[in-house]
Amino acid sequence: MATKRIIRVLDINLSEEKVATHHREDLAPFIGGIGVASKLFAELVDAQKDPLDPEQPIILANGPLSTIFPVVTKTVAVFRSPLTGEWGESYAGMRLALAMRMSGFQAIVIRGRAKKPVYLSISDHGVRFKDATALWGLSVSETGSILRGLEQGRGHRSCIRIGPAGEKCVSFANVNVDTYRHFGRLGLGALFGAKNLKAVVIYGEKDEPIENLAQYNRVYKDIYDKAVTTDIMDKYHGIGTAINVNGLNNLNGLPTKNLQQSSFEQAEAISGEAFAEQSLIRKMACAGCPVGCIHIGLYRREFGPGFDYESKNLSYDHELIFALGSFLGMSSQEKIYALIDAVEELGLDAISAGVLLGWVTEAFEKGILTEEQLGVKPTFDQTEPYLEILQQLVQQPNEFYRVLALGSYAAAQRYGGHDFAMTLAKNEMAGYHTGYANILGQAVGARHSHLDNAGYSVDQKLKDKSAEEKVQALVKEEKWRNVLNCLTICLFAREIYQVETVLSALDAIGIKSNEAELNGLGEEIFKIKHNTRLRLGYDFNQLAVPKRFFETVSVTGNLNPATWQEMLEYYKSIIRE
Amino acid sequence: MAKILQAKYMAKCIGCYSCMLACARTVRHSFSLQKSAIQIHTAGGLQSRFLADICRGCLEPACARACNSGALLPRKGGGVRFIPAKCLGCRDCVEACVVKTIRFDDTSNKPIICIQCGSCTRYCPHQVITMEERENGY
């Protein structure tokens, strides 16, 4: 790997309102994205201190291909997760990777705690610490509206911000990125809140001449044509990931009513096809992506008698329809939109919020939780109690809601109901019930996400293969995804960015590599992540899979704990090697 | 009649910026969107619609009239030809542009001029921007 590149790291200290720029030649072999972020995080995280301690770093990184090749749109955030206590990693699109590139920084480190609420204004001309006391307490959308008027760079800037959930350090608070995307999962929003950091606006005008125009044009066009004129990206541009709803439902893979069922009698009404036909109003794209997978639906709500209506444009996809839909028994798009609107404005991770509400509902039905504690009677398919619970767990008026704000795993630890608190390694499950690889993949993946290693896909594609082969496939996929995440491509484009294309794109901007080097990099990052999370407290022997996974039929039939345990043991043996 | 750049179908724009990248890449040999002569932005945040700041290909371009160094010459059919070697960086064209779409590049000390080449339209996935002949010649 060429090492002539130097990674420019912007280091921001909120406590002292100081900034520094570090030129890190040693990080060049890690390309960018998760490679650079993993190294920086391993250097800076303090395993002895709480995830929300001011000293804990937030690392943001993009990659050398960001925005200048099609569908390379992501920025990675790495942090110590307040939800799991260990490795936190999240990706977001929209304008952030573009704005970071134009600002001239490949990585940004944010440390310390501001004395009063601030927002950061970052550009290629420096960093400003700006008073955000008037923004504290505001919703995500209102914050965005105000910052839009305060900052320069209309159209090319990125505005990332938290809502009240982040301010109150809810363990699964997210960070909203440019209205329609998020750093979701694992609670980055809580770190912002703990640092008194309401928002970051990034904008830049840095010039970047192209050195090898003919080669770059050729590779760009090849990738662009694959993205636009072939059917590789059809799924994402057409109905979108929501197409999975009907597919999974037909195969017994759609988690429903807290996974008491894996198919939903109302699935048709909330399917991707139904959303597309009845409420989809436009599609949007992240900067540098000609595909446009972001599906925006119209939520129309009557707020008073006499035909008084309000309307909102909300982004939906499979995970939202699962977590705030089938998982809570929601029978209509309108009800799902009501919940999406609430989690968006509060700044909560939608998956964790939905899965927590599923546990709350069943715990209430079983008498583990009471109406006196909750203040409402949660019921599947009823939005009003859920909206109230979401507000309360953000406001945290009492000990009960303070525990709920720590997430499903912590709540079940305190009140019981572990067997149906649908978490894997303390992170709420994603929207698939496909089999062992899905469960194992989320439990052992670096960030306990279905996106670490696509276990849901392994279950279906390797259905007739042995347990060992499935585990090997998970590990192989996770290592390769590490490489793709160094580039910060959108993983929806992973079929386009196969090895040869990755090498061509890197070569076109002067980064020489080969397949063996890339695979070695994926392996090295895998180790860095694993060793760091062990340092932060992850323990294979503490993994407990909720019994519900083994009680409800999956896409690959009924599952049993013994086979899961066997696969885990095999995974552990591979890791030890 | 020469074709000129049009943005008649902005309601279909997804905000991918492929057009800006194409302009910066092809005409200015730069990765930077700031070097693009076409600028896409929102009317008021991402919940609003997208707008395109484009050269309107004036038949009697005010920018060329304002240029006294001979760097901007009216193009047959609308718009201008730009001759960078003659440009002194006075910014009179920026001031003169009726629709305020000419921006100035401090790095090169020259304006960013649309030359009506159509590169941007070839990378628009939804044919939102197009090269079309003027209706009725205007």
Side-chain angles (χ1 to χ4, degrees):
Chain A
M1 195 77 62
T3 52
K4 68 170 183 175
R5 287 173 66 245
I6 294 172
I7 305 289
R8 284 183 84 221
V9 181
L10 175 64
D11 192 352
I12 299 171
N13 185 323
L14 290 167
S15 303
E16 297 171 17
E17 294 203 352
K18 298 281 186 199
V19 296
T21 307
H22 307 300
H23 296 87
R24 296 283 302 264
E25 195 172 353
D26 63 306
L27 294 177
F30 289 87
I31 299 181
I34 191 62
V36 166
S38 294
K39 279 292 281 181
L40 287 169
F41 181 71
E43 281 175 22
L44 297 172
V45 68
D46 188 335
Q48 306 308 314
K49 289 184 174 162
D50 185 84
L52 298 182
D53 186 281
E55 294 307 308
Q56 300 292 20
I58 295 168
I59 320 275
L60 304 175
N62 66 5
L65 307 183
S66 283
T67 313
I68 64 168
F69 282 100
V71 213
V72 185
T73 54
K74 298 289 184 179
T75 302
V76 61
V78 177
F79 52 98
R80 185 172 194 180
S81 166
L83 187 68
T84 64
E86 40 118 351
W87 186 267
E89 177 184 334
S90 183
Y91 294 80
M94 286 320 280
R95 307 275 175 268
L96 182 55
L98 164 74
M100 266 184 74
R101 181 175 203 114
M102 296 294 145
S103 77
F105 297 105
Q106 290 84 53
I108 299 173
V109 176
I110 304 173
R111 292 189 275 182
R113 181 177 196 270
K115 291 174 187 69
K116 60 181 182 178
V118 296
Y119 78 89
L120 292 170
S121 176
I122 300 174
S123 77
D124 49 337
H125 297 299
V127 179
R128 299 279 178 275
F129 298 79
K130 297 195 175 181
D131 189 343
T133 47
L135 302 177
W136 209 249
L138 297 186
S139 70
V140 166
S141 66
E142 204 170 3
T143 304
S145 296
I146 292 172
L147 289 172
R148 207 156 38 240
L150 292 175
E151 293 292 315
Q152 64 166 340
R154 183 175 66 153
H156 302 161
R157 67 188 164 200
S158 181
C159 172
I160 71 177
R161 68 265 189 182
I162 57 169
E167 295 172 12
K168 297 286 241 174
C169 295
V170 174
S171 292
F172 49 96
N174 71 14
V175 175
N176 182 288
V177 176
D178 304 328
T179 305
Y180 290 128
R181 299 288 89 179
H182 314 83
F183 284 117
R185 321 272 25 218
L186 301 171
L188 179 62
L191 269 81
F192 270 54
K195 292 182 180 305
N196 258 337
L197 180 61
K198 180 68 175 176
V200 180
V201 184
I202 305 180
Y203 173 68
E205 295 192 355
K206 207 154 179 77
D207 186 20
E208 279 193 77
I210 301 171
E211 284 181 12
N212 192 339
L213 186 64
Q215 186 186 359
Y216 169 67
N217 275 343
R218 193 171 58 248
V219 178
Y220 182 96
K221 186 171 189 313
D222 177 52
I223 297 172
Y224 181 90
D225 287 345
K226 277 182 188 158
V228 173
T229 64
T230 71
D231 58 7
I232 296 174
M233 302 295 286
D234 270 0
K235 170 182 171 182
Y236 304 106
H237 174 66
I239 288 173
T241 59
I243 200 168
N244 292 341
V245 174
N246 263 344
L248 287 167
N249 186 57
N250 294 336
L251 296 168
N252 284 323
L254 182 67
T256 300
K257 297 180 183 172
N258 204 41
L259 200 61
Q260 292 178 97
Q261 306 165 203
S262 51
S263 62
F264 186 29
E265 56 276 14
Q266 302 289 343
E268 195 61 47
I270 62 166
S271 65
E273 290 84 346
F275 268 86
E277 286 164 10
Q278 293 158 26
S279 59
L280 175 67
I281 53 169
R282 70 191 295 199
K283 281 178 270 188
M284 295 179 78
C286 299
C289 171
V291 176
C293 78
I294 303 169
H295 288 60
I296 310 293
L298 178 67
Y299 173 40
R300 181 168 174 256
R301 174 168 56 192
E302 188 175 17
F303 65 84
F307 303 104
D308 281 334
Y309 284 96
E310 63 174 327
S311 65
K312 274 190 157 178
N313 298 353
L314 298 170
S315 160
Y316 68 81
D317 64 23
H318 170 70
E319 295 298 340
L320 293 164
I321 297 173
F322 137 71
L324 302 172
S326 67
F327 203 74
L328 300 176
M330 292 297 155
S331 58
S332 74
Q333 293 168 42
E334 195 179 28
K335 290 177 180 179
I336 296 173
Y337 279 132
L339 293 174
I340 292 175
D341 186 29
V343 298
E344 287 283 11
E345 292 292 10
L346 291 167
L348 290 164
D349 177 68
I351 299 178
S352 286
V355 171
L356 172 65
L357 290 174
W359 172 82
V360 166
T361 309
E362 199 171 332
F364 177 73
E365 286 175 350
K366 289 184 159 60
I368 294 171
L369 299 179
T370 65
E371 186 181 357
E372 191 182 5
Q373 282 171 308
L374 288 159
V376 290
K377 289 197 238 182
T379 311
F380 290 129
D381 202 24
Q382 297 288 318
T383 54
E384 288 307 318
Y386 291 144
L387 293 172
E388 181 61 24
I389 292 167
L390 291 173
Q391 291 287 343
Q392 293 297 315
L393 71 86
V394 170
Q395 294 309 317
Q396 300 165 36
N398 54 38
E399 172 68 7
F400 172 74
Y401 275 108
R402 280 193 287 279
V403 173
L404 226 52
L406 297 172
S408 311
Y409 180 83
Q413 283 278 91
R414 173 71 177 271
Y415 297 104
H418 255 303
D419 293 346
F420 55 87
M422 302 312 296
T423 62
L424 289 162
K426 302 182 186 174
N427 191 28
E428 284 79 5
M429 70 176 288
Y432 312 84
H433 186 43
T434 54
Y436 297 110
N438 174 50
I439 298 171
L440 182 71
Q442 290 180 64
V444 301
R447 54 187 161 132
H448 315 303
S449 163
H450 60 299
L451 295 168
D452 281 327
N453 43 38
Y456 59 94
S457 173
V458 171
D459 274 327
Q460 294 172 85
K461 287 182 180 163
L462 303 184
K463 191 176 176 183
D464 301 320
K465 302 289 182 185
S466 69
E468 285 82 1
E469 283 171 297
K470 288 179 193 168
V471 174
Q472 285 163 2
L474 288 176
V475 174
K476 187 180 175 194
E477 183 67 17
E478 186 154 348
K479 288 176 180 172
W480 176 243
R481 286 186 178 212
N482 282 338
V483 176
L484 296 179
N485 290 335
C486 289
L487 308 168
T488 59
I489 72 155
C490 171
L491 289 179
F492 288 172
R494 61 189 179 274
E495 297 298 330
I496 293 177
Y497 282 93
Q498 295 190 11
V499 178
E500 298 75 21
T501 305
V502 169
L503 291 171
S504 298
L506 287 171
D507 190 52
I509 58 167
I511 301 176
K512 308 283 182 199
S513 188
N514 57 52
E515 186 172 354
E517 269 189 349
L518 292 180
N519 286 331
L521 178 60
E523 177 92 32
E524 187 171 355
I525 296 167
F526 188 87
K527 284 179 186 161
I528 292 171
K529 287 188 189 182
H530 181 62
N531 290 336
T532 307
R533 70 175 178 176
L534 290 182
R535 203 151 56 89
L536 299 177
Y538 178 73
D539 183 357
F540 286 117
N541 299 320
Q542 297 291 317
L543 283 180
V545 174
K547 274 189 189 161
R548 178 61 47 80
F549 277 111
F550 307 113
E551 294 167 349
T552 308
V553 65
S554 77
V555 170
T556 46
N558 289 301
L559 310 176
N560 66 73
T563 306
W564 136 259
Q565 193 65 39
E566 181 192 331
M567 285 175 72
L568 176 63
E569 293 304 323
Y570 183 64
Y571 180 87
K572 283 158 67 177
S573 71
I574 290 181
I575 293 295
R576 275 195 294 270
E577 285 167 13
Chain B
M1 181 64 75
K3 291 182 176 179
I4 59 161
L5 182 59
Q6 312 263 0
K8 290 180 181 174
Y9 313 102
M10 285 305 290
K12 296 193 290 185
C13 178
I14 58 172
C16 69
Y17 296 174
S18 299
C19 56
M20 285 193 281
L21 287 161
C23 179
R25 175 172 75 240
T26 311
V27 184
R28 314 283 300 205
H29 301 180
S30 170
F31 292 128
S32 172
L33 299 184
Q34 300 305 323
K35 303 293 181 187
S36 170
I38 177 171
Q39 294 288 315
I40 304 295
H41 58 85
T42 59
L46 286 160
Q47 297 244 4
S48 66
R49 63 204 173 91
F50 285 107
L51 301 174
D53 288 343
I54 57 166
C55 170
R56 297 293 168 176
C58 302
L59 285 168
E60 296 177 11
C63 55
R65 276 204 307 277
C67 178
N68 59 19
S69 63
L72 287 174
L73 303 173
R75 171 180 169 268
K76 195 177 177 184
V80 290
R81 277 200 306 133
F82 181 48
I83 305 163
K86 292 190 176 183
C87 176
L88 302 174
C90 71
R91 304 180 190 227
D92 286 354
C93 57
V94 176
E95 293 299 317
C97 176
V98 179
V99 286
K100 299 296 170 203
T101 58
I102 300 180
R103 292 174 308 113
F104 196 76
D105 175 18
D106 289 318
T107 317
S108 62
N109 196 39
K110 294 193 189 331
I112 296 169
I113 300 289
C114 171
I115 55 170
Q116 299 285 343
C117 69
S119 294
C120 52
T121 63
R122 287 191 282 278
Y123 283 91
C124 176
H126 286 181
Q127 291 77 53
V128 172
I129 48 172
T130 51
M131 292 295 284
E132 294 178 27
E133 282 182 15
R134 228 180 271 274
E135 284 175 19
N136 304 320
Y138 291 97

